[in-house]
Amino acid sequence: MTTETSRRKLLLLGAATTGLGLLPLRPGLAQSDATATAPDTAPATAARLDVPYVPTPQEVVDRMLALARVGKNDVLIDLGCGDGRIVVTAAKQLGARGTGIDLDPIRIAEAKENARKAGVEDQVSFQVGDLFEADLSAASVVTLYLLPTINTRLRPRLWQQLKVGSRVVSHAFDMGPEWPPEKTASVDGRSIYYWTITQVQKRKAKA
């Protein structure tokens, strides 16, 4: 069995068993030499999405936002936003502003429609884009529902771009042993992990 075949089976197994899928992966994205795709020149197509989309249950969304203590003064960025339910919930129920980023234009269209139906279009935005090119510096909260390999690749970017005190919440997967979570929670057997950015991470990002 080739390395690529093993990798694809692992991704699909993870999606099937843990409800993964808010990040539609391109072939090679989970590899260290993945290249970025400009959202305005190479939109995703169904044939290029490796991991099936499975939304985060609403009760998990609510617990993630509660764990991060999201409020009206927060700017939330959801990486791999799917149909936008985390961003829309944060805006409608908690008054936050938010942005959702996803590689799949179909999911982004759904997210925009959900924001319109919820009456929060003036508080949120959604864009087709590559997570590894996104500017995260404005966020006070970042939410994730990705793969373990993607989380660990994003980790230094979070350390570099987020301000001290910013919160990070991940559904299903942590950030590896290099960044243990400060808090964990469980909703119907689904794990949620929580971190804050500290000076320690900022120093590590510069090392």
Side-chain angles (χ1 to χ4, degrees):
M1 183 180 295
T2 66
T3 301
E4 178 63 16
T5 300
S6 299
R7 182 183 71 83
R8 290 176 66 86
K9 285 191 174 182
L10 176 61
L11 297 181
L12 293 174
L13 178 62
T17 58
T18 64
L20 213 46
L22 287 187
L23 174 67
L25 290 173
R26 290 170 286 134
L29 183 57
Q31 299 176 356
S32 61
D33 59 351
T35 56
T37 298
D40 57 344
T41 59
T45 64
R48 297 170 59 200
L49 304 180
D50 278 355
V51 177
Y53 165 66
V54 178
T56 301
Q58 187 61 45
E59 59 270 24
V60 177
V61 171
D62 295 339
R63 188 69 180 100
M64 291 173 72
L65 297 175
L67 196 62
R69 306 181 310 282
V70 174
K72 63 181 180 180
N73 296 321
D74 281 310
V75 175
L76 183 148
I77 295 181
D78 186 22
L79 299 179
C81 66
D83 65 3
R85 64 183 60 195
I86 293 179
V87 175
V88 170
T89 300
K92 186 175 179 63
Q93 296 187 7
L94 303 170
R97 291 175 291 136
T99 296
I101 303 170
D102 201 295
L103 189 65
D104 190 347
I106 295 174
R107 300 281 83 82
I108 292 299
E110 290 177 351
K112 290 180 177 179
E113 177 62 13
N114 288 337
R116 185 192 67 78
K117 290 178 178 178
V120 296
E121 290 175 289
D122 60 337
Q123 293 170 249
V124 305
S125 64
F126 296 96
Q127 62 191 57
V128 178
D130 190 310
L131 307 187
F132 297 100
E133 291 186 339
D135 181 0
L136 309 178
S137 59
S140 56
V141 179
V142 170
T143 52
L144 311 163
Y145 185 19
L146 308 174
L147 288 165
T149 51
I150 304 301
N151 277 10
T152 54
R153 286 188 59 205
L154 278 170
R155 186 180 62 220
R157 191 170 185 86
L158 297 170
W159 291 356
Q160 291 163 4
Q161 293 199 6
L162 296 179
K163 298 178 289 292
V164 171
S166 298
R167 291 94 76 198
V168 178
V169 184
S170 174
H171 175 197
F173 298 108
D174 62 19
M175 290 283 174
E178 295 83 359
W179 196 20
E182 297 172 32
K183 299 178 183 178
T184 61
S186 179
V187 177
D188 293 333
R190 296 172 177 266
S191 297
I192 303 170
Y193 302 91
Y194 169 89
W195 304 259
T196 54
I197 301 295
T198 69
Q199 289 293 353
V200 172
Q201 280 82 53
K202 303 303 286 186
R203 287 195 294 269
K204 288 180 178 180
K206 295 177 180 178

